[in-house]
């Protein structure tokens, strides 16, 4: 199963405080530290969880600025800055903050990518937080721009789905085009704000899967950590409608990823683990797909049942039936 732990070459990693230009030699293909981004830990002794740097997927000369887990191998990319503007060939690159406080990538000809910060500051500072959020801040520590506002295919803890009406931002996931191409693919996962918000998986404009309406909730996942508590938080007001999630009482690393094939997958890396473990995925089967059983039909909550039923069997009957692999006839399209 593909989940963006991709074979790739890391060209440069940034680690220590900086607000200067960062030239990237054209022949670089190593893990050597050249310059860095200022890192902010959630605790004074906390380990660095994420890294920011340039990577190049195998079988391509395109380079991307991305974020991945520092101590997890193979590299698991969780955010890509220039997914729509790959940096081809061996041209020298420069990553720098330019006035009035914009993080930018330059090649030897022009600027190829920039953070579209709406706020300005003559002395901006960049930080990579332990949440995986790359932020630009002014001298007073006010956030000017953050990567969490522009997710790619991965929802980390504390990231949001939904909308910020005051800034005109929509938070949603979009799949990679292929497992080796970070360009936006066919699938998206985001909020449907028609009525009470709920999340939908779409292929283009076609709904493929619908989750239950948003709600505040606390849950546990004993599959990975019996002490783990997952918090789901919903805020609805005139300024924004965000859904976010995070964990309590656990050091479990987790992420929600939208695969290039259109599967929503929750992956976890236990503290003593040595590989990603799949917690769940959606759609579970063909019966889990949107409107599969018809406008007046429902599928069983049991993923092994694989059958449709009419909501009211006295008023609705299946339009047709289909024979399953075991020879059993099931109702279809009420």
């Amino acid at each position: 199963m593909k989940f963006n732990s991709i074979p790739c070459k890391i060209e440069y990693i940034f680690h220590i405080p900086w607000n200067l230009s960062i030239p990237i030699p054209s022949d670089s293909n190593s893990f050597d530290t050249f310059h860095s981004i200022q890192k902010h830990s959630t605790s004074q002794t906390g380990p660095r969880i994420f890294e920011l740097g340039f990577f190049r997927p195998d079988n391509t000369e395109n380079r991307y600025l991305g974020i991945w887990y520092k101590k997890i191998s193979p590299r698991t990319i969780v955010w890509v800055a220039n997914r729509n503007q790959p940096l081809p060939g061996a041209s020298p690159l420069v990553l720098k903050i330019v006035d009035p406080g914009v993080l930018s990538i330059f090649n030897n000809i022009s600027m190829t990518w920039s953070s579209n910060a709406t706020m300005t500051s003559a002395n901006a500072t960049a930080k990579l937080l332990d949440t995986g959020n790359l932020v630009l801040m002014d001298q007073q520590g006010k956030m000017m721009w953050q990567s969490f506002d522009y997710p790619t295919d991965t929802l980390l803890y504390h990231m949001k789905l939904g909308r910020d009406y005051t800034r005109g931002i929509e938070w949603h996931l979009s799949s990679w085009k292929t497992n080796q191409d970070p360009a936006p693919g066919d699938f998206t996962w985001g909020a449907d704000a028609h009525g009470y918000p709920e999340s939908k998986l779409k292929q283009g404009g076609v709904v493929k899967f619908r989750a239950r309406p948003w709600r505040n909730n606390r849950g546990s996942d004993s599959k990975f950590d019996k002490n783990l508590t997952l918090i789901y938080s919903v805020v609805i007001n005139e300024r924004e409608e965000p859904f976010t999630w995070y964990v309590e009482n656990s050091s479990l690393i987790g992420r929600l990823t939208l695969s290039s094939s259109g599967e929503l997958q929750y992956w976890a890396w236990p503290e003593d683990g040595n590989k990603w473990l799949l917690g769940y995925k959606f759609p579970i089967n063909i019966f889990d797909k949107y409107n599969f059983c018809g406008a007046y039909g429902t599928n069983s909550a049991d993923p092994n049942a694989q059958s449709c039923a009419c909501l009211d069997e006295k008023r609705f009957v299946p339009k047709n039936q289909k024979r399953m692999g075991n020879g059993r006839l099931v109702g279809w399209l009420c």
Side-chain angles (χ1 to χ4, degrees), residues 4-20:
N4 288 354
S5 290
I6 66 171
C8 62
K9 295 181 174 63
I10 306 302
E11 300 213 341
Y12 260 100
I13 303 172
F14 310 119
H15 294 297
I16 51 179
W18 66 277
N19 55 5
L20 302 173

Side-chain angles (χ1 to χ4, degrees), residues 235-288:
V235 175
I236 300 177
N237 55 44
E238 67 278 2
R239 299 187 308 275
E240 62 176 0
E241 288 186 358
F243 169 91
T244 189
W245 67 323
Y246 58 94
V247 292
E248 286 184 349
N249 307 319
S250 177
S251 58
L252 181 77
I253 296 174
R255 59 191 175 89
L256 191 68
T257 299
L258 180 58
S259 74
S260 58
S261 61
E263 281 190 346
L264 196 67
Q265 304 164 346
Y266 172 64
W267 296 93
W269 189 286
E271 187 174 12
D272 57 349
N274 57 9
K275 66 177 181 179
W276 287 106
L277 301 177
L278 181 63
Y280 56 79
K281 67 176 183 178
F282 296 106
I284 298 173
N285 52 44
I286 59 173
F287 291 88
D288 210 22

Side-chain angles (χ1 to χ4, degrees), residues 139-252:
Q139 286 179 301
Q140 286 71 44
K142 186 175 181 179
M143 188 178 300
M144 303 165 54
W145 176 91
Q146 60 176 339
S147 61
F148 272 17
D149 280 338
Y150 306 93
T152 51
D153 69 328
T154 299
L155 193 74
L156 301 173
Y157 297 142
H158 301 284
M159 292 181 72
K160 297 177 179 180
L161 291 177
R163 288 176 173 83
D164 184 324
Y165 295 111
T166 60
R167 295 184 295 155
I169 291 176
E170 180 183 352
W171 303 294
H172 69 273
L173 302 184
S174 60
S175 65
W176 284 29
K177 189 173 183 179
T178 70
N179 195 45
Q180 291 288 316
D181 186 352
D186 294 334
F187 298 93
T188 59
W189 170 253
D192 186 339
H194 298 290
Y196 193 83
E198 59 186 8
S199 296
K200 289 183 178 179
L201 172 62
K202 296 182 179 181
Q203 184 176 16
V206 179
V207 178
K208 307 298 287 186
F209 171 78
R210 180 180 66 181
R212 67 180 62 182
W214 291 358
R215 60 174 180 164
N216 293 302
N217 193 23
R218 299 172 65 93
S220 61
D221 192 344
S222 58
K223 182 176 181 179
F224 299 121
D225 186 341
K226 64 180 180 180
N227 297 316
L228 177 148
T229 301
L230 275 169
I231 309 297
Y232 302 96
S233 175
V234 177
V235 175
I236 300 177
N237 55 44
E238 67 278 2
R239 299 187 308 275
E240 62 176 0
E241 288 186 358
F243 169 91
T244 189
W245 67 323
Y246 58 94
V247 292
E248 286 184 349
N249 307 319
S250 177
S251 58
L252 181 77

Side-chain angles (χ1 to χ4, degrees), residues 3-163:
F3 50 91
N4 288 354
S5 290
I6 66 171
C8 62
K9 295 181 174 63
I10 306 302
E11 300 213 341
Y12 260 100
I13 303 172
F14 310 119
H15 294 297
I16 51 179
W18 66 277
N19 55 5
L20 302 173
S21 298
I22 306 173
I24 310 298
S26 60
D27 59 349
S28 170
N29 185 25
S30 70
F31 288 87
D32 295 338
T33 299
F34 178 75
H35 214 49
S36 72
I37 220 162
Q38 183 173 337
K39 174 188 152 297
H40 169 76
S41 297
T42 54
S43 63
Q44 291 183 348
T45 58
R48 185 185 297 117
I49 299 174
F50 294 94
E51 287 181 331
L52 171 73
F54 285 98
F55 71 95
R56 176 162 52 90
D58 280 358
N59 304 317
T60 179
E61 293 300 316
N62 289 336
R63 288 172 289 176
Y64 300 89
L65 178 66
I67 296 173
W68 56 83
Y69 295 97
K70 175 179 173 60
K71 296 182 179 180
I72 290 179
S73 180
R75 299 286 177 180
T76 303
I77 310 298
V78 299
W79 182 77
V80 183
N82 57 314
R83 64 189 310 198
N84 287 309
Q85 296 97 25
L87 306 166
S91 61
L93 304 175
V94 174
L95 175 65
K96 64 179 179 180
I97 298 176
V98 298
D99 289 337
V102 178
L103 184 64
S104 305
I105 302 173
F106 291 82
N107 59 18
N108 55 359
I109 300 175
S110 62
M111 181 176 67
T112 61
W113 174 87
S114 68
S115 60
N116 55 346
T118 56
M119 300 176 60
T120 61
S121 174
N123 295 287
T125 302
K127 296 181 180 180
L128 180 60
L129 309 184
D130 271 355
T131 57
N133 193 11
L134 174 63
V135 301
L136 282 174
M137 309 182 78
D138 63 16
Q139 286 179 301
Q140 286 71 44
K142 186 175 181 179
M143 188 178 300
M144 303 165 54
W145 176 91
Q146 60 176 339
S147 61
F148 272 17
D149 280 338
Y150 306 93
T152 51
D153 69 328
T154 299
L155 193 74
L156 301 173
Y157 297 142
H158 301 284
M159 292 181 72
K160 297 177 179 180
L161 291 177
R163 288 176 173 83

